[in-house]
Amino acid sequence: MNFEKWKNLEYMSGFGNEFASEDPRCPDSLPKGQNSPQVCPYGLYAEQLSGTAFTAPRESNRRSWFYRILPAAKHLPFSKIDDGLLESNFDTVEPNPNQMRWKPFEIPESKQVDFVEGLISICGAGDPKSRHGCASHVYVCNKSMDDKAMNNSDGDFLIVPQQGTLYITTEFGRMMVEPNEICVIQQGMRFSVAVEGPSRGYILEVYDGHFVLPGLGPIGANCLANPRDFLAPAAWYEDRTCDFTVVTKYQGKLFAGKQDHSCFDVVAWHGNYTPYKYNLDTFAAINVVSFDHADPSIFTVLTCQSTRPGVAIADFVIFPPRWSVQEHTFRPPYYHRNVMSEYTERFKWKELRANPV
């Protein structure tokens, strides 16, 4: 695979926008004026991917329409495969209230391991069967997912590369995600990860709803993660016959289905339910300029909210380089006992006033 071309990929800017994209190799492949015409351009199949219930309120309703060469349903039945070190039943071990830390997970050297095979669950709470809770995983891999895709039926993956660039192909198009960038693959989206060499990173999985931008309140209309800095892929397809495998994560278990063609055959699409990436360097941090420290919630990039107002299932927070200029204040952030559990990851910066997560 020629990864050099990935550096010139085109993206569409915005968070939760209504996008429309078609591969330039098939001009006018998006139907005009309707979603599911009797005959689609180029003889394509219309297919809707829903990210919420049909009847979800308009402001939170998420869906996209695909125009693809073959329907996604064209595959053999799924069969159970080995889960490896992926886990969703967090009742199998005794709880431990102590602080814990561990060294970086070693990337395999003696065997070839792809992204799916290299998933390792660390901790979590809740249950994907009831669609409530979250989980933290790491991935270690040294091999691309050749003729293989993954689909998470349980929730959203927020992927944080720590070592090695990820070249991610989705049904919506392609994304190059480097260390210090993140990407979100939302529930039900098929994707494949290619790598150039040893790669490692973190994954935050949420079972409830989807990640959204935090409210800014009196901060105003700008700062933190600005919507314009989130990038969605532009349409790209391949029309390729091959022995292809789709791995689905369903109720915490892995299943595989065979098909005779690549699943990345979406020629055009439109909608507001997409994968996306974000460069953490574009996060506009704010801070106290008089005395004391603000609560660390001011560094929230994305959040997945629960049904209780202001209470999150999970927050993705970073502590980037920034000025701390408070007067008459103890320099490190204050000690505190938190009602939320914290999972801290160090993935770039070496000298900080707090650990990045």
Side-chain angles (χ1 to χ4, degrees), residues 1-8 144 167 176 194-197:
M1 183 179 292
N2 183 1
F3 294 117
E4 192 65 27
K5 295 181 178 179
W6 289 65
K7 296 178 181 179
N8 300 317
S144 299
Y167 302 89
M176 186 178 76
V195 296
E196 293 182 278

Side-chain angles (χ1 to χ4, degrees), residues 213-224:
L213 294 173
L216 295 180
I219 294 174
N222 305 292
C223 288
L224 305 190

Side-chain angles (χ1 to χ4, degrees), residues 66-349:
F66 292 146
Y67 301 93
R68 61 192 314 151
I69 296 172
L70 290 171
K74 188 180 184 300
H75 60 77
L76 298 176
F78 286 98
S79 301
K80 184 73 182 69
I81 61 173
D82 183 20
D83 297 323
L85 296 176
L86 193 65
E87 182 60 70
S88 63
N89 183 1
F90 304 108
D91 295 328
T92 57
V93 294
E94 290 294 320
N96 186 341
N98 294 300
Q99 299 179 51
M100 292 177 282
R101 65 170 56 190
W102 49 87
K103 294 181 179 180
F105 285 77
E106 294 185 359
I107 302 172
E109 296 180 354
S110 60
K111 63 177 180 178
Q112 296 287 291
V113 177
D114 67 24
F115 178 86
V116 175
E117 297 164 341
L119 291 172
I120 304 170
S121 298
I122 304 299
C123 58
D127 179 15
K129 294 180 182 178
S130 60
R131 294 298 313 280
H132 181 64
C134 61
S136 292
H137 317 280
V138 298
Y139 68 85
V140 289
C141 59
N142 53 20
K143 171 189 173 185
S144 299
M145 292 171 60
D146 297 324
D147 296 332
K148 184 177 182 180
M150 185 180 188
N151 164 77
N152 186 1
S153 299
D154 293 334
D156 291 6
F157 273 165
L158 189 158
I159 303 173
V160 187
Q162 179 266 323
Q163 176 180 331
T165 299
L166 302 182
Y167 302 89
I168 301 178
T169 302
T170 75
E171 293 168 289
F172 296 80
R174 298 176 294 175
M175 300 185 295
M176 186 178 76
V177 185
E178 300 177 277
N180 203 50
E181 293 184 316
I182 63 171
C183 74
V184 173
I185 308 294
Q186 304 195 74
Q187 182 187 12
M189 298 177 179
R190 294 179 175 179
F191 69 99
S192 181
V193 176
V195 296
E196 293 182 278
S199 302
R200 177 173 55 211
Y202 309 95
I203 300 174
L204 172 59
E205 180 182 15
V206 292
Y207 307 138
D208 303 65
H210 301 291
F211 287 104
V212 297
L213 294 173
L216 295 180
I219 294 174
N222 305 292
C223 288
L224 305 190
N226 290 307
R228 65 173 295 193
D229 295 320
F230 289 83
L231 302 177
W236 177 89
Y237 78 94
E238 61 180 7
D239 184 6
R240 188 164 61 88
T241 300
C242 58
D243 182 14
F244 199 90
T245 301
V246 176
V247 176
T248 185
K249 181 176 175 289
Y250 177 71
Q251 296 189 2
K253 303 297 182 180
L254 296 181
F255 300 81
K258 296 287 187 178
Q259 57 188 60
D260 60 3
H261 61 283
S262 169
C263 71
F264 303 119
D265 62 351
V266 176
V267 176
W269 62 270
H270 73 84
N272 62 0
Y273 189 54
T274 73
Y276 53 87
K277 75 169 192 169
Y278 175 75
N279 188 329
L280 297 175
D281 280 339
T282 63
F283 185 82
I286 64 172
N287 218 333
V288 174
V289 294
S290 56
F291 61 89
D292 286 347
H293 292 280
D295 293 328
S297 51
I298 63 170
F299 302 112
T300 301
V301 180
L302 293 168
T303 181
C304 177
Q305 289 291 296
S306 71
T307 55
R308 289 185 291 170
V311 179
I313 297 297
D315 291 325
F316 177 71
V317 180
I318 64 170
F319 296 109
R322 62 200 183 277
W323 287 102
S324 289
V325 296
Q326 301 92 327
E327 296 181 346
H328 193 59
T329 299
F330 188 55
R331 191 163 176 249
Y334 53 82
Y335 291 103
H336 74 290
R337 291 179 293 174
N338 200 340
V339 297
M340 296 183 72
S341 297
E342 295 184 352
Y343 178 78
T344 304
E345 305 157 352
R346 184 179 293 276
F347 57 85
K348 179 184 177 183
W349 302 291

